[in-house]
């Protein structure tokens, strides 16, 4: 990796290479929206410019998150090879894979956009809560708040309590999460998911020699009962399984509950087909070999010219991100930028 990496892969090249056919260096890439097929090297798949660059930081610190993800990938890659060979792994090695999977679930552009959207919605709820709290302040409490605000912001507060409440009620600012705050939530939520995954029951699924898994722009999916609102199941919900194909003939299934075990299973060709279909349906792009495999998945699921877009689950927001905001935010507009 260069000192200042600009191309950030949201699906590690090391993972992508596990899906190459023998003696080949390119995968077949398919975009649902463009309805286009291309042969591409892992370097040219599943990446964006400065996806994880911390804009508020200076120097090499700007790339700290990208480098952290690279270390997670480097630590987990040899463990995945051991699992593909049905070898035993230690708890420490298992934790490294859980960390990789936890972050993989959240680090894609679609999930980052979802986290930002949820944070923005949560920011508006947070502002509404603050305005109600502001209206209930005693004169002494409001005076103390103004002093604290002026000390932190360096700006004078010219509005009275009533005027401030009226202004925020009638003309509430649009609250937009900063990139740093969004990525902070990604790391915190990804860490929580990784800890949960490390405690659950794992099945290493081995595909028949004449069938192959694919991977995708998401690289992972959860499957289980949808919520009452029809939204997709989250990875931390009991009973929901997570599936992570990490090589042409091997995939990890993390069950929705314990015990904390790792076992191996030979699965049928139809199981591989079902997993490929489910992954394709929750991804904007799919990758694999040979081309006829990708074409069959596209045709079977009628993917041509369609898009995949995540929809925020407001109940998930209230239960998770809103709580993070309350813990980590000490001013009504931080860590947000009013627009």
């Amino acid at each position: 990796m260069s000192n200042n990496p600009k191309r950030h892969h949201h699906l590690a090249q090391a993972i992508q290479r596990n899906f190459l056919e023998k003696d080949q260096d390119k995968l077949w890439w398919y975009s649902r929206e463009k309805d286009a097929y291309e042969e591409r090297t892992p370097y040219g798949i599943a990446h964006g410019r400065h996806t994880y660059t911390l804009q508020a930081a200076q120097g090499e610190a700007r790339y700290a998150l990208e480098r952290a993800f690279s270390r997670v990938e480097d630590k987990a890659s040899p463990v995945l090879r051991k699992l593909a060979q049905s070898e035993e792994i230690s708890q420490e090695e298992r934790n490294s894979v859980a960390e990789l999977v936890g972050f993989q679930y959240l680090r894609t552009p679609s999930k980052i956009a979802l986290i930002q959207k949820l944070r923005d919605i949560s920011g508006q709820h947070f502002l509404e809560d603050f305005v109600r709290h502001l209206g209930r302040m005693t004169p002494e409490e409001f005076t103390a708040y103004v002093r604290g605000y002026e000390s932190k912001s360096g700006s004078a507060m010219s509005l009275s309590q009533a005027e401030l409440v009226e202004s925020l009620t009638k003309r509430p600012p649009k609250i937009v999460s900063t990139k740093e705050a969004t990525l902070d939530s990604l790391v915190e939520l990804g860490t929580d998911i990784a800890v949960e995954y490390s405690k659950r029951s794992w099945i290493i699924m081995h595909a028949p020699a004449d069938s192959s898994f694919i991977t995708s722009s998401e690289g992972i999916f959860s499957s289980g009962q949808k919520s009452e609102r029809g939204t997709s199941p989250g990875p931390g919900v009991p009973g929901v399984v997570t599936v992570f194909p990490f090589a042409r003939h091997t995939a990890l299934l993390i069950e929705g509950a314990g015990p904390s075990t790792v076992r191996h299973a030979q699965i049928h060709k139809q199981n591989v087909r079902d997993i490929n279909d489910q992954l394709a349906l929750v991804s904007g792009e799919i990758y694999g070999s040979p081309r006829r495999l990708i074409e069959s998945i596209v045709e079977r699921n009628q993917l041509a010219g369609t898009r995949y877009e995540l929809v925020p689950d407001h109940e998930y927001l209230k239960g998770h991100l809103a709580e993070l905001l309350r813990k980590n935010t000490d001013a009504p507009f931080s860590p947000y930028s009013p627009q």
Side-chain angles (χ1 to χ4, degrees), residues 129-164:
D129 287 345
F130 170 75
V131 172
R132 286 191 288 270
H133 174 66
L134 187 66
R136 294 192 294 266
M137 285 182 180
T138 65
E140 293 76 15
E141 290 172 334
F142 181 72
T143 298
Y145 167 75
V146 170
R147 288 173 180 166
Y149 174 82
E150 292 178 342
S151 174
K152 291 179 180 178
S153 68
S155 302
M157 174 74 73
S158 59
L159 299 177
S160 67
Q161 182 177 2
E163 290 170 335
L164 181 58

Side-chain angles (χ1 to χ4, degrees), residues 37-292:
Y37 296 86
E38 290 181 17
E39 272 193 299
R40 294 186 176 184
T41 65
Y43 180 74
I45 291 175
H47 66 84
R49 286 181 62 83
H50 293 294
T51 306
Y52 312 117
T53 300
L54 304 174
Q55 298 169 333
Q58 299 296 322
E60 292 191 6
R62 289 166 54 83
Y63 307 100
L65 183 55
E66 166 65 1
R67 292 196 176 93
F69 283 152
S70 294
R71 289 192 294 272
V72 169
E73 295 158 7
D74 291 343
K75 191 174 181 180
S77 291
V79 186
L80 294 178
R81 288 195 291 271
K82 291 178 69 172
L83 291 174
Q85 297 299 319
S86 299
E87 297 179 19
E88 292 187 5
I89 61 173
S90 67
Q91 183 61 51
E92 183 179 356
E93 290 174 318
R94 192 168 185 239
N95 293 343
S96 70
V97 174
E99 188 175 30
L100 175 73
V101 180
F103 285 128
Q104 182 61 54
Y105 195 88
L106 295 174
R107 63 182 287 189
T108 64
S110 65
K111 295 284 176 47
I112 292 173
L114 177 63
I115 291 171
Q116 168 138 10
K117 187 180 291 187
L118 292 175
R119 285 190 59 90
D120 292 347
I121 295 170
S122 186
Q124 295 299 141
H125 287 306
F126 187 78
L127 177 60
E128 291 166 7
D129 287 345
F130 170 75
V131 172
R132 286 191 288 270
H133 174 66
L134 187 66
R136 294 192 294 266
M137 285 182 180
T138 65
E140 293 76 15
E141 290 172 334
F142 181 72
T143 298
Y145 167 75
V146 170
R147 288 173 180 166
Y149 174 82
E150 292 178 342
S151 174
K152 291 179 180 178
S153 68
S155 302
M157 174 74 73
S158 59
L159 299 177
S160 67
Q161 182 177 2
E163 290 170 335
L164 181 58
V165 170
E166 181 181 13
S167 175
L168 292 175
T169 301
K170 293 184 176 180
R171 296 178 297 279
K174 180 180 179 181
I175 307 299
V176 179
S177 179
T178 64
K179 183 178 182 180
E180 278 69 21
T182 298
L183 293 178
D184 281 347
S185 288
L186 185 163
V187 171
E188 186 160 358
L189 292 170
T191 301
D192 290 344
I193 292 172
V195 171
E196 183 64 30
Y197 281 164
S198 69
K199 301 175 183 177
R200 294 188 176 185
S201 175
W202 291 13
I203 301 175
I204 311 304
M205 299 182 292
H206 299 274
D210 60 347
S211 64
S212 300
F213 292 112
I214 63 166
T215 187
S216 76
S217 51
E218 298 299 319
I220 189 172
F221 68 89
S222 288
S223 179
Q225 184 176 2
K226 292 182 181 290
S227 71
E228 294 179 358
R229 297 163 300 284
T231 50
S232 298
V237 177
V240 171
V241 301
T242 297
V243 180
F244 172 49
F246 61 85
R248 290 191 73 210
H249 299 295
T250 325
L252 167 62
L253 184 149
I254 302 178
E255 295 188 300
S260 181
T261 58
V262 178
R263 61 190 191 276
H264 294 260
Q266 296 291 329
I267 63 173
H268 298 291
K269 197 170 184 176
Q270 183 61 48
N271 300 132
V272 177
R273 173 173 167 162
D274 292 342
I275 288 170
N276 285 343
D277 287 349
Q278 289 190 67
L279 182 58
L281 287 169
V282 299
S283 304
E285 300 174 356
I286 58 176
Y287 325 124
S289 294
R291 175 169 174 158
R292 64 179 178 274

